[in-house]
Amino acid sequence: MNMRIVMICIISIFSFSFAHGADLANPRSMAFPPLVFQIPKTERVLLKNGTPVYLLQDRELPIVTISALIRTGSVYDQSDKSGLASLTGSQLRGGGTHALAPAELDRELEFMASAVESSFGTDLGTVSLSSLTRNLDRTLQIFTDILFHPRFDEKRLDVIKRQALEMIRRQNDDPKELGDRELQKALYAGHPLGVVPTAATVSAIKRNDLQAFHQRFVRPDNMILTVAGDFDRTAILAALNRLIGQVKPAGRLQLPEVPQVKLQFVPAVLYAPKQVNQSVIRLGHLGITKDDPDLYAIRVLDFILGGSFTSRLMMEIRTNQGLAYNVGSHFDVGRRFTGSFTAETETKAEATAKTIGLMTSIIAGVRKEPVTEQELKLAKDSIINSFLFGFTTPASIVTQQARLEFYGYQSDYLDRYRERIAAVTREDILRAARKHLHPDAFKLVVVGDQKGFDKPLATFGSMTTLDLK
């Protein structure tokens, strides 16, 4: 009976709509007030020992998330122990604490439906927790023990090292990952950003190396905390001061000096032989840092050139030529070190040289004349309208604010981001493209079987065949 009533209502609505079609508004002529989005404000406080904490309350769900952003990462690895930061980051959580063996830690967190995770990337380490509000006190205690009192269980370390060694053994199985890795090595040759762990460097890592790395970097004066969700401000600050604010750093913080990337543009053609029907194409060169005055023009250029489904690369190589399913490019803007510009695609072997030539010519083309007004408007509208999706949860909001301080951004970076994007002109993009795009200096990496290529890779310059071991 209920379903019959629903169907009658639906039929009635459609009948009314068709009968009064002339009265319905034309969607093409409908007008709406502009969408106004204000970034929610967070609160910044200092613990007793000076550790910054960013707070944002949200009572919608009985959940709290807390993160520690730590200034550490693989750029601080010793060259003969590359992989140390990654292992240390995973084993902060995975290796247990002084009070809890790994299996006990796993069981207790699972019983409370809490989660604590840890990882160290290139120049940022994170330890984070997610907890129901009622279990926050105990989860926060465990989180603090993981931060400052990790066990680095020997058996767990052996397991994770074997897994790392197996990944290294199979690192050439995926052609896409192979291409990405070799381009990164070529772009940052001679710099820590270009170093890749090997079986020898991982095998050389011992438990005391993890302990020393942890002691050097995981300290209250080398981190920023974020707290978001359903918490009582007074109670959480009291708990953080009791558990973290009382921790005294051992001596003065001294981070190792890591040199800035040497900005140079030297072309190279690198061939990674692999018997596959499809060629993996990766090309690029060094890019910019977050402090470059052309940052906002570069963001818009990215969208137009290769960062969207309507980009020039996508429209020509996929839509018009049918040479690839996916193709794109982007500037990976460096926060601490110079970033990169890269373009990528995969295509059938017999179209390899044609596709490389098209990619290069399309990228070079954006340096010759201004983009169209239509391209400019679509790019700016898309970037501005999608801005709010970076603030979908309380945790993402508070983390965005903390990262500004962590990486040394201007305090008004987020607040003025949209207006600065809106102010970008066609001339700004042309100037930025001519300054920051160097098609004649690409590092080109191709993974595939050259017997099937339409032209030799030597067409694009002196070729080096990579020794894939």
Side-chain angles (χ1 to χ4, degrees), residues 303 306-315 318-319 325-327:
F303 187 95
S308 67
F309 200 74
T310 58
S311 71
R312 291 186 177 187
L313 285 170
M314 182 69 80
M315 293 302 293
R318 171 179 162 146
T319 305
Y325 178 77
N326 181 61
V327 59

Side-chain angles (χ1 to χ4, degrees), residues 406-419:
F406 186 89
Y407 283 116
Y409 280 85
Q410 295 177 345
S411 59
D412 65 349
Y413 172 77
L414 292 175
D415 293 322
R416 299 192 61 190
Y417 184 82
R418 288 167 291 179
E419 70 177 74

